[in-house]
Amino acid sequence: KAGVTQTPRYLIKTRGQQVTLSCSPISGHRSVSWYQQTPGQGLQFLFEYFSETQRNKGNFPGRFSGRQFSNSRSEMNVSTLELGDSALYLCASSLVEGAATEAFFGQGTRLTVV
Amino acid sequence: AQSVAQPEDQVNVAEGNPLTVKCTYSVSGNPYLFWYVQYPNRGLQFLLKYITGDNLVKGSYGFEAEFNKSQTSFHLKKPSALVSDSALYFCAVRGLGGGFKTIFGAGTRLFVKA
C-alpha cells in the first residue's frame, strides 16, 4: 500500500512569488492535515480537511490556504512568499476524522524562499 | 486550549540502558495522546497512542508509554536503547476541546551512544 506522497520534495522560490504543494493521501484515507516544521517553531498546525471541507485551521495568515479534492488529494498554497516561509511542509492523512486516529505522514516538501 | 510540553530538548543514553522521553499535556476533556518519531530527512512515523483503558501502552520498535492522569503525563519509555533509536521524538495531543487538530510538543532529540 503506497504511503502519503508529497510533491515536489524540494522547491526554491523568490520572495513575493506563490507556491502550490501537493499531497496524495494513503488510499482510502479521507482526512488530510498540513503542518509547517521549522527549527525555531517546531511543528505548527496549518489546517485539516475531511471530505473536501476544512475542519480546522491553525494560526497562520490568510496567505496560507488549502483545499481538498473529491479523491481526497489535497493542495496547499502560499501566496506572496516571505523569507520566513522557508520550512519543511508536512502532509498527513488519516483514515477517519476522529480524535483517536493516528496520522500517517509524507516525507514533506522542503521550501526555500530566497 | 490544548498544549503539550516536552521539557527536555535532548536526552542522551548509552546503548542497552533504559530510556525515558518526557511529555506533559493540557487538554479539555479526555486526552488522546500520541508519540511520533522523525528520522533525518523523513516525515513523522506513528509509534503509539493512548485512547482509554490500560495506562501502559505498547507500541512499535519496543517502545511503550505510561499515561498518568494525575500528573497529566505521557512519558515514552524503552527498556533497552539501541543506537538506531537516535531520532527526534514528538509527543502530541488531540482533544475535542480544540476540534480534531493535533498539537505537537517541541520535540526531544534522543542520542543513543554505542
Side-chain angles (χ1 to χ4, degrees), chain A residues 6-12 21 88 108-112, chain B residues 41:
Chain A
Q6 291 187 246
T7 57
R9 289 290 313 280
Y10 302 92
L11 207 49
I12 299 175
L21 311 182
L88 179 66
T109 294
R110 170 96 40 205
L111 172 64
T112 302
Chain B
N41 300 314

Side-chain angles (χ1 to χ4, degrees), chain B residues 45-114:
Chain B
Q45 295 179 32
F46 167 73
L47 276 178
L48 51 77
K49 65 181 177 183
Y50 173 82
I51 305 303
T52 186
D54 197 352
N55 290 343
L56 186 64
V57 179
K58 294 189 182 297
S60 306
Y61 313 120
F63 284 93
E64 57 190 26
E66 187 170 10
F67 171 69
N68 187 316
K69 188 172 183 178
S70 62
Q71 297 185 4
T72 60
S73 67
F74 188 56
H75 300 332
L76 182 70
K77 301 182 179 185
K78 187 174 183 182
S80 179
L82 299 172
V83 171
S84 57
D85 293 330
S86 298
L88 187 56
Y89 290 82
F90 290 95
C91 181
V93 62
R94 275 170 78 88
L96 294 177
F100 291 129
K101 64 182 178 182
T102 302
I103 304 299
F104 285 86
T108 298
R109 190 164 296 280
L110 173 67
F111 286 102
V112 181
K113 187 177 180 181

